[in-house]
């Protein structure tokens, strides 16, 4: 005997000896555990009290009370009843107005009207979702060491909406476990599969992604068996279950069902970032879908308008191209260039300047006479093999930071305005060129090995032959080595600002006698963007496209599951002692043998879900009704609601449990119908006042001779 227990008596020992001598047979060895036998609907029991029962629940409760010589308690006061049922059904207390209305309503169905109002409330779904989201291990973060956030609230809302819409429990089950496997699944059916995306996800560096996925699938097996079957199937991961008829092979048959979901592998292996990621999908609201279609239709209509205008444009484009070719001619400066702090600027054959010498802060001073009227100045950065990373700057990354630019004309300062560049590094702004902060300005990382340009305009045009002095400074203390590496300085006499900052694709096309198809398209689009004939339409297209892009960015994502298609046989290895690295043999996907077989030739998640809610399944309806009973009475008819195996507690009212399960299925798995039945029963309406005699006889109120005391 275990330590601390009394030893067996001589008579008990003799009984055991006799039993062993006769073969040690147990008559009940082949008797199936009660929970694995399909529920049988029995007739309502006959009771002595013929007036108390309001529905079938009460007949079973009253019969058990009468058998024990007990009587039910009187009905609770109206104030207590409305508080009780309101908190139970919607999770909120009743308002004073609702209490007053109920107290003055003398109609025989006054209480039933309250129940119907609560079942129709949007808060009903929120209250019922609380318990289900716990079962679904819902969380807004991934768990484990880093615990980053995840976007999964679309699944939460799906659960709330499903309860409010009174989705039958069989559909509720199938969509969550296998919504993606339904024929032409809807967006909502895909979102429902988020049930098993609530699994914790380990993003810690160095974690083996295959092992992390193994643990995720194990979680899905154990969660499914606990939520729908009330079974501790996870015990069979390492060995045959010690108490219940679930073998390790049974466990990995279930594992094989969940191991066939799609994932992608990505991340840097060198830094432990390589992980297996399952799918996310955009999940727009009805309003967002409608707005997206509206904006797409508007863009299509505007494009048709552009096309129509193009047919009647005449010589407009040809004339613009000739002017653009003239405006595309930039004059290289002809003057002097010097730098501070020992840096030298050496002219190159293409007219550019290449910096060399000490790698530190510097101010470059370029001085030259204006060749014609100057409306714009361009700084063109040129990659060079001699610079770090073959880039355009002198920083170790190949980058530069132009923190200040200033202009003097004939010795007088002239403001520079409207800066524009082909590319600006994230976190920087061209406005920083004109402030006193040495850490702001123009930089181009990570595009350091490409040509880049910056155009600035004098506030007043520079007259012909005027002396121009341009200062370019890197005055950063954080990046003192980020001076300009190789660059050109050119000027333009073009007054049209749209022609002063042509995109490279347009500029290159203008220089060619026969532009390519892509260059012609770029040229045509740029012309239309700046032509008085086309610009208003293009402005509308740009604004609408920007609105459409913003809308798409605002659409939330949903974590979903998708099945690997084309897998003929679902199978999985058996892991010795449940360890990831030790395997021995394989099994075909299926349900535990003790529950029989499914009709499906190939047992995937959809076949599993349909089996769970089939009338041949002995557990699902019972487990769900027991969970519902626990919500209202604090303890389920089966107290161990998470364990319906042999170590679990037997039901206090087995006939009632079976009646509720069969009633649930007969009503089409109607959740609200069963909630309504429980809260309108006389059992639920009893006063919760406990007498001393009742406390002595039934301290835990398992026989329900009084109402539940706590919500």
């Amino acid at each position: 005997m275990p330590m601390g227990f009394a030893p067996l008596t001589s008579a008990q020992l003799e009984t055991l000896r006799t039993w062993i001598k006769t073969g040690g047979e147990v008559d009940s060895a082949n008797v199936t555990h009660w929970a694995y036998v399909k529920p049988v609907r029995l007739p309502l029991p006959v009771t002595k009290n013929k007036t108390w029962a309001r529905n079938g629940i009460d007949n079973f409760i009253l019969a058990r009370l009468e058998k024990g010589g007990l009587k039910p308690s009187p009905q609770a006061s109206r104030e207590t009843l409305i508080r009780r049922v309101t908190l139970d059904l919607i999770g909120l207390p009743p308002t004073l107005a609702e209490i007053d209305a109920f107290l003055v309503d003398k109609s025989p169905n006054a209480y039933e009207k309250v129940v119907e109002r609560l079942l129709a409330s949007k808060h009903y779904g929120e209250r019922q979702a609380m318990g289900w989201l716990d079962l679904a291990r819902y969380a807004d973060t991934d768990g484990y060491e880093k615990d980053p956030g995840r976007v999964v609230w679309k699944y939460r809302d799906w659960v709330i909406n499903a309860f409010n819409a009174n989705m039958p429990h069989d559909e509720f089950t199938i969509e969550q476990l296998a919504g993606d496997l339904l024929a032409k699944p809807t967006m909502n059916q895909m979102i429902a599969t988020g049930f098993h995306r609530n699994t914790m996800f380990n993003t810690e560096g160095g974690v083996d992604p295959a092992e992390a996925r193994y643990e995720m699938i194990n979680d899905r097996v154990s969660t499914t068996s606990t939520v729908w079957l009330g079974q501790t199937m996870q015990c069979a991961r390492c060995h045959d279950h010690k108490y219940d008829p679930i073998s390790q092979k049974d466990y990995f048959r279930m594992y094989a069902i969940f191991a066939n979901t799609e994932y992608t592998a990505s991340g840097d292996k060198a830094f432990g970032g390589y992980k297996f990621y399952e799918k996310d999908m955009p999940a727009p609201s009805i309003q967002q879908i409608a707005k997206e279609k509206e904006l797409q239709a508007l863009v299509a209509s505007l494009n048709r308008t552009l096309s129509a205008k193009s047919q009647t444009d005449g010589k407009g484009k040809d004339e613009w191209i000739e002017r653009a070719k003239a405006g595309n001619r930039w004059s290289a400066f002809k003057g002097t260039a010097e730098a501070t702090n020992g840096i030298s600027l050496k002219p190159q054959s293409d007219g550019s300047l290449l910096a060399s010498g000490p790698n530190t802060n510097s101010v470059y001073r370029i001085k030259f006479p204006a060749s014609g009227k100057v409306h714009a100045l361009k700084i063109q950065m040129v990659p060079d093999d001699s610079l770090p990373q073959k880039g355009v700057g002198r920083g170790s990354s190949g980058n530069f930071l132009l923190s200040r630019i200033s202009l003097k004309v004939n010795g007088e300062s002239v403001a520079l305005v409207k800066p524009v560049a082909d590319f600006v590094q994230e976190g920087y702004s061209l406005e920083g060129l004109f402030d006193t902060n040495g850490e702001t300005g123009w930089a181009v990382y990570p595009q350091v090995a490409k040509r880049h340009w910056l155009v600035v305009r004098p506030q007043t045009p520079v007259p012909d032959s005027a002396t121009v002095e341009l200062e370019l400074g890197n005055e950063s203390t954080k990046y003192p080595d980020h001076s300009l590496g190789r660059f050109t300085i050119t000027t333009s006499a073009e007054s049209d600002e749209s022609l002063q900052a042509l995109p490279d694709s347009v500029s290159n096309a203008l220089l060619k006698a026969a532009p390519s198809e892509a260059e012609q398209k770029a040229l045509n689009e740029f012309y239309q963007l700046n032509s008085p004939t086309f610009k208003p339409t293009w402005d509308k297209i740009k604004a609408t496209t920007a609105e459409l892009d913003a809308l798409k960015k605002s659409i939330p994502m949903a974590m979903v599951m998708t099945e690997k298609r084309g897998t003929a046989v679902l199978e999985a290895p058996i892991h010795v002692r449940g360890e990831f690295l030790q395997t021995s043999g394989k099994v075909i996907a299926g349900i535990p043998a003790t529950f029989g077989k499914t009709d499906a030739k190939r047992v995937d998640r959809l076949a599993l879900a349909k089996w769970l809610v089939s009338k041949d399944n002995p557990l699902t309806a019972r487990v769900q009704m027991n969970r519902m009973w626990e919500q209202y009475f604090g303890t389920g008819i089966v107290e161990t609601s998470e364990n319906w195996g042999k170590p679990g507690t037997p039901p206090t009212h087995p006939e009632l449990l079976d009646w509720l399960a069969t009633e649930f299925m007969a009503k089409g798995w109607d959740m609200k119908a069963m909630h309504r039945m429980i809260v309108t029963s006389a059992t639920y309406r009893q006063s919760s006042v406990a007498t001393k005699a009742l406390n002595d006889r039934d301290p835990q109120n398992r026989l329900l001779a009084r109402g539940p005391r706590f919500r």
Side-chain angles (χ1 to χ4, degrees), residues 636-657:
I637 296 172
V638 174
E639 185 174 4
T640 52
S641 56
E642 77 292 345
N643 187 353
W644 289 54
K646 289 182 180 178
T649 57
T652 55
H653 299 77
E655 296 84 2
L656 171 59
L657 181 60

Side-chain angles (χ1 to χ4, degrees), residues 165-196:
N166 199 26
M167 178 182 284
H169 188 67
D170 55 348
E171 293 178 28
F172 186 69
T173 295
I174 290 169
E175 293 193 9
Q176 288 182 90
L177 291 180
D180 60 305
L181 291 173
L182 296 173
K184 297 181 180 179
T186 65
M187 182 178 69
N188 279 334
Q189 287 169 335
M190 291 297 298
I191 291 172
T193 64
F195 176 88
H196 270 319

Side-chain angles (χ1 to χ4, degrees), residues 89-330:
L89 285 180
I90 68 170
L92 298 168
T95 65
L96 292 176
E98 289 168 345
I99 296 171
D100 292 340
F102 180 53
L103 294 179
V104 300
D105 188 348
K106 302 303 180 184
S107 60
N109 65 336
Y111 177 73
E112 285 75 8
K113 287 190 289 185
V114 169
V115 171
E116 294 306 317
R117 172 176 58 78
L118 295 172
L119 288 173
S121 167
K122 66 176 183 179
H123 301 304
Y124 162 81
E126 295 166 355
R127 169 65 187 91
Q128 304 312 318
M130 287 172 63
W132 190 261
L133 292 174
D134 281 345
L135 295 170
R137 61 264 194 259
Y138 177 82
D140 288 308
T141 58
D142 283 345
Y144 292 112
E145 170 255 359
K146 289 186 178 179
D147 201 26
R150 57 167 59 164
V151 180
V152 70
W153 61 266
K154 272 288 186 176
Y155 168 74
R156 175 203 66 196
D157 284 9
W158 180 89
V159 173
I160 294 171
N161 293 334
F163 277 115
N164 279 333
N166 199 26
M167 178 182 284
H169 188 67
D170 55 348
E171 293 178 28
F172 186 69
T173 295
I174 290 169
E175 293 193 9
Q176 288 182 90
L177 291 180
D180 60 305
L181 291 173
L182 296 173
K184 297 181 180 179
T186 65
M187 182 178 69
N188 279 334
Q189 287 169 335
M190 291 297 298
I191 291 172
T193 64
F195 176 88
H196 270 319
R197 288 298 307 279
N198 286 309
T199 309
M200 290 169 64
F201 182 51
N202 198 339
T203 56
E204 184 178 354
V207 169
D208 184 333
E211 184 175 10
R213 178 165 171 77
Y214 173 66
E215 294 299 339
M216 290 173 67
I217 298 169
N218 283 320
D219 170 76
R220 289 165 183 173
V221 173
S222 61
T223 299
T224 302
S225 61
T226 299
V227 170
W228 277 277
L229 299 173
Q231 297 298 295
T232 56
M233 190 172 284
Q234 64 270 28
C235 296
R237 167 181 167 176
C238 305
H239 48 70
D240 291 351
H241 203 295
K242 290 186 176 181
Y243 302 106
D244 299 325
I246 300 172
S247 68
Q248 192 181 26
K249 287 184 177 180
D250 286 332
Y251 178 88
F252 283 102
R253 288 190 188 102
M254 282 276 280
Y255 178 98
I257 296 172
F258 290 100
N260 196 48
T261 53
E262 288 185 319
Y263 64 88
T264 56
S266 65
D268 193 332
K269 291 183 179 180
F271 297 97
Y274 185 72
K275 300 288 181 288
F276 294 160
Y277 294 94
E278 292 178 306
K279 186 177 179 181
D280 293 352
M281 64 171 277
S285 65
I286 295 173
Q287 294 81 2
Q288 286 173 323
I289 292 172
K291 187 65 176 177
E292 185 174 4
K293 288 181 178 178
E294 176 190 330
L295 293 173
Q296 287 171 339
L298 180 55
V299 170
S301 174
L302 290 168
N303 278 318
R304 287 193 294 272
T305 300
L306 277 179
S307 180
K309 286 183 177 181
S310 296
Q311 304 301 319
T312 59
D313 186 40
K315 297 181 179 179
K317 179 182 174 184
D318 294 337
E319 292 172 353
W320 178 86
I321 287 177
E322 290 306 313
R323 185 180 174 194
K325 285 181 177 180
N328 196 38
R329 299 188 187 101
W330 290 76

